[in-house]
């Protein structure tokens, strides 16, 4: 099944959840999403989502300087972000549960 | 590492171009993250950026969509039609006439150049060359704005040359004709306007009589001037052929000059030959 459409609906939730686990920089978040099984997620989509969530006030951001590598911009959740995550997670669970029960009979 | 800094910069530049319509702050935010991203991707793998990330245009579209920004305006704005600015709907069709001007321009140039040199045949030949050239130039100015000035120059040159050639031709025609008689006799070659009689002499200087004269077209030379240089009115005594027909081209003509004095009396005298002493003409 083409997961692109599904992803668009839940990318905010997935990004918030990843950041709730641990703060991360852009490419780090992409990698973690893919490792969790969302292989079709596009790099640009993650970066765009991070920016939008930040603009919406759900994320904090800070730069970690590095001597050996590039300076990286890290994102993390703030209180508003955590609240949004909780709401979205609840909404997702009930939605996924409903879909599950509908397709339960399918082999 | 095969992905060079140049590749990263090139990719970033193309993404930047695709985001050009955005407000500066939005664009700079997106691009700041992009450069970090590209650096990470480049470090991770040797594959070209486009393989890993897709086309810069597609990346930019996905990025701005996920960021909640509006999609880019699709088509580049049409080159503005200069006549549209005039505001009048009736002038809108003028750009469609441009190809006709290109053809006309070539013809005008051909006429201006070839007409003075070799007449209408030369004009036709030169037109076969210049009309296609003018059309090609016109099409090129449409595609490539750099050629516009060449097009303007060609148009200006064609108009100027035509005005110049037409002007010179008219002046030379007007300058050549004498201003003396507004209606010269059709059959008289130029120069007989003041001639009232002709006196032929042979090569030995002896006067001839009964000489019949014809012009280059075979017309008999008939003098029209009815007054001699003194102002006396001339009466011509016509000669006749053996058949009795009057002929007016036999020289010298027998003429009588009449002068009217102030008191009203008229004097008449026969016109005599002028006192000329023609030289002896060498043979050949």
């Amino acid at each position: 099944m083409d997961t692109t459409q599904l992803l668009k609906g839940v990318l905010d939730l997935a990004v918030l959840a990843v950041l709730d686990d641990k703060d991360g920089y852009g490419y780090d978040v992409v990698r973690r999403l893919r490792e969790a099984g969302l292989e079709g997620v596009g790099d640009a989509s993650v970066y765009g989502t991070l920016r939008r969530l930040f603009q919406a006030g759900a994320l904090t951001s800070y730069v970690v300087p590095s001597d050996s590598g590039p300076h990286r911009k890290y994102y993390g959740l703030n209180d508003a972000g955590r609240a949004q995550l909780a709401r979205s997670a609840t909404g997702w669970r009930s939605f996924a549960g409903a879909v599950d029960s509908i397709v339960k009979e399918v082999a | 590492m095969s992905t060079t800094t140049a590749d990263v910069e090139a990719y970033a530049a193309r993404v930047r171009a695709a985001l050009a319509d955005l407000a500066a702050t939005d664009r700079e935010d997106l691009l700041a993250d992009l450069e970090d991203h590209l650096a990470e991707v480049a470090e991770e793998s040797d594959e070209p950026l486009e393989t890993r990330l897709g086309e810069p245009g597609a990346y930019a579209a996905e990025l701005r969509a996920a960021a909640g920004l509006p999609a880019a305006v699709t088509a580049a704005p049409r080159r503005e039609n200069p006549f549209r600015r005039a505001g009048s709907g009736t002038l809108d069709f003028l750009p469609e006439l441009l190809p006709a001007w290109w053809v006309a321009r070539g013809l005008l140039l051909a006429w201006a150049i070839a007409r003075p040199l070799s007449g209408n045949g030369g004009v036709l030949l030169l037109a076969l060359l210049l009309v296609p050239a003018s059309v090609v130039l016109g099409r090129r100015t449409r595609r490539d704005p750099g050629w516009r000035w060449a097009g303007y120059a060609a148009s200006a040159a064609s108009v100027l040359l035509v005005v110049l050639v037409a002007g010179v031709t008219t002046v030379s025609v007007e300058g050549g004709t004498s201003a003396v008689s507004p209606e010269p006799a059709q059959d008289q070659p130029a120069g007989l306007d003041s001639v009232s009689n002709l006196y032929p002499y042979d090569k030995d200087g002896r006067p001839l009589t009964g000489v019949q004269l014809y012009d280059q077209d075979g017309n008999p030379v008939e003098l029209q001037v009815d007054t001699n240089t003194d102002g006396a009115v001339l009466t011509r005594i016509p000669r006749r052929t053996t058949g009795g027909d009057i002929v007016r081209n036999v020289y010298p003509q027998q003429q009588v000059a009449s002068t009217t004095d102030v008191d009203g009396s008229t004097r008449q005298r026969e016109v005599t030959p002028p006192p000329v002493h023609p030289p002896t003409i060498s043979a050949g």
Side-chain angles (χ1 to χ4, degrees):
Chain A
M1 181 183 193
D2 179 13
T3 52
T4 317
Q5 290 300 319
L6 290 175
L7 269 178
K8 279 183 186 153
V10 300
L11 196 51
D12 285 16
L13 169 60
V15 167
L16 287 170
V18 162
L19 290 177
D20 185 52
D21 190 36
K22 194 166 60 131
D23 289 358
Y25 58 94
Y27 202 55
D28 179 35
V29 175
V30 174
R31 258 202 300 256
R32 283 196 263 163
L33 288 169
R34 291 206 178 120
E35 281 163 13
L38 296 179
E39 282 141 8
V41 71
D43 300 54
S45 296
V46 174
Y47 278 89
T49 302
L50 283 169
R51 185 182 179 270
R52 182 164 43 80
L53 289 172
F54 179 75
Q55 292 284 105
L59 304 178
T60 60
S61 162
Y62 52 94
V63 177
V64 173
S66 160
D67 295 328
S68 56
H71 300 336
R72 287 195 169 115
K73 185 156 97 175
Y74 278 76
Y75 292 95
L77 293 184
N78 58 19
D79 288 339
R82 275 183 282 273
Q84 183 175 338
L85 171 60
R87 283 195 306 274
S88 301
T90 309
W92 164 257
R93 282 195 192 102
S94 60
F95 178 76
V99 175
D100 269 347
S101 66
I102 292 169
V103 299
K104 196 167 43 184
E105 306 305 324
V106 179
Chain B
M1 172 164 33
S2 69
T3 311
T4 63
T5 327
D7 294 335
V8 167
E9 281 172 11
Y11 195 95
R14 288 169 67 184
V15 172
R16 172 183 289 272
L19 301 175
D21 59 306
L22 291 176
T25 39
D26 292 340
R27 182 172 60 245
E28 295 311 318
D29 280 351
L30 294 179
L31 289 171
D33 292 343
L34 170 72
E35 283 168 10
D36 296 341
H37 184 197
L38 294 181
E40 301 270 3
V41 170
E43 214 180 276
E44 190 185 56
S45 150
D46 281 352
E47 287 176 54
L49 288 170
E50 276 195 45
T51 315
R52 292 273 292 111
L53 299 174
E55 261 220 300
Y59 186 100
E62 195 182 317
L63 181 61
R64 64 197 290 165
L69 294 165
V73 176
T74 43
R78 283 187 56 196
R79 186 166 67 94
E80 192 178 318
N81 180 340
F83 293 108
R84 200 148 287 170
R85 260 186 257 131
S88 163
T90 59
L91 290 181
D92 279 356
F93 72 94
L94 278 175
E96 295 175 28
L97 292 182
L98 221 46
W101 166 244
W102 298 337
V103 173
R105 174 173 69 187
L107 284 174
L108 289 177
L109 264 174
W111 183 87
I113 295 172
R115 186 78 162 88
L117 301 175
S118 58
N120 288 331
V123 171
L124 194 61
L125 280 175
L126 198 56
L128 288 176
L129 177 69
L130 287 182
V131 166
S134 173
V135 171
V136 166
L137 175 64
R139 288 167 59 95
R140 188 160 291 177
T141 60
R142 256 195 195 160
R143 275 185 281 120
D144 183 353
W147 280 85
R148 271 162 61 215
W149 292 103
Y152 296 152
S155 297
S158 68
V159 171
L160 278 172
L161 279 178
V162 162
V163 169
L164 209 62
V165 168
V168 167
T169 312
T170 313
V171 166
S172 70
V173 165
E174 281 176 8
T177 56
S178 159
V180 172
S181 62
E183 276 189 22
Q186 292 301 337
D187 295 324
Q188 273 189 344
L192 291 179
D193 298 338
S194 54
V195 176
S196 58
N197 209 345
L198 288 168
Y199 295 90
Y201 291 78
D202 69 7
K203 65 174 175 50
D204 297 317
R206 288 194 295 264
L208 296 171
T209 57
V211 176
Q212 303 177 67
L213 289 180
Y214 297 85
D215 70 11
Q216 73 281 357
D217 295 322
N219 301 313
V221 176
E222 296 181 12
L223 300 175
Q224 307 292 342
V225 177
D226 287 335
T227 55
N228 67 12
T229 35
D230 299 333
V233 176
L234 294 171
T235 309
R236 292 190 165 89
I237 297 156
R239 302 286 292 272
R240 291 179 187 271
T241 67
T242 50
D245 300 320
I246 288 183
V247 283
R248 302 185 205 281
N249 65 330
V250 181
Y251 296 96
Q253 289 182 350
Q254 197 175 357
Q255 296 174 344
V256 172
S258 308
T259 319
T260 307
D261 285 337
V262 179
D263 60 3
S265 64
T266 314
R267 291 180 288 119
Q268 290 188 329
R269 61 174 181 85
E270 190 170 335
V271 173
T272 54
V276 294
H277 304 285
T280 306
I281 306 303
S282 72

